[in-house]
Amino acid sequence: MQNDIDHVLISSERIQTRVREMAEQIVAYYDRQNPELTLVPVLSGSIIFLADLIRHLPIKMKLALVHVSTYPGRTTTPGESKTLLEPTGDIRGRHVLLIDDILDSGRTIRRVQAMLHALAPASVRTAVLLRKPSKAPTDVPVEFVGFDVEDLFVVGYGLDYDDFYRNYPHIGVLRREVTA
Ligand code: IMP
Ligand code: MG
């Protein structure tokens, strides 16, 4: 696996530090409201981020998983979202925090936000670990962002290529030959 990585973009240590800071921001934000909070992680890319983040959130919360597949198989450019499954838990009347790995074209988050709004939540806020600002659309509100990254295809810490590399602990850039 390591051999497929060209270089580390963000080390696991930097990720951990930033995830703790994001958790502090989220706690400060919701503490004021004492919310009925439901976290909505988008599968599968957000699972590592989610697992680390929620252990730094001392807030009573539920989880409702959604599944979207945007980059089907071996492509590194956004395609049409293939599947979008209903959340597995309570949304109605609850303060919802959507969690995703990366905001790229924004298509995924736009669709999930629309689906959530249709389920009558009390509020919808969004947290992403990574954002590609060169592409991120202005009409998709994202309140909490871990890192802004260049427009490169990255893997690790939950992010995949063809469903591989999710377990790579850093965020890394794949060697060109791997996706060629
Ligand atoms: P969007 O819909 O274009 O914003 O893409 C978001 C989804 O595409 C993410 O949830 C990822 O699953 C995937 N994605 C986008 N950029 C990357 C990348 O650089 N590496 C791995 N997956 C990515
Ligand atoms: Mg993906």
Side-chain angles (χ1 to χ4, degrees), residues 36 38 87 89-96 116 118-123:
E36 293 290 321
T38 295
D90 283 359
I91 301 297
R92 175 174 293 276
R94 299 191 57 86
H95 292 277
V96 169
L116 292 170
L119 296 170
S123 68

Side-chain angles (χ1 to χ4, degrees), residues 64-84:
L65 318 180
V66 294
H67 186 267
V68 188
S69 136
T70 320
Y71 283 168
R74 301 167 181 239
T75 101
T76 56
T77 47
E80 282 305 310
S81 296
K82 268 204 157 168
T83 47
L84 175 57

Side-chain angles (χ1 to χ4, degrees), residues 121-171:
S123 68
V124 176
R125 301 289 180 265
T126 302
V128 294
L129 182 68
L130 305 178
R131 174 173 62 186
K132 293 180 180 170
S134 58
K135 291 166 86 184
T138 48
D139 66 320
V140 179
V142 173
E143 288 73 23
F144 307 99
V145 178
F147 300 93
D148 281 324
V149 294
E150 311 164 55
D151 189 13
L152 293 168
F153 195 79
V154 292
V155 295
Y157 198 73
L159 291 128
D160 73 299
Y161 171 67
D162 195 20
D163 234 5
F164 289 116
Y165 312 108
R166 294 195 196 277
N167 57 321
Y168 183 65
H170 314 287
I171 306 246

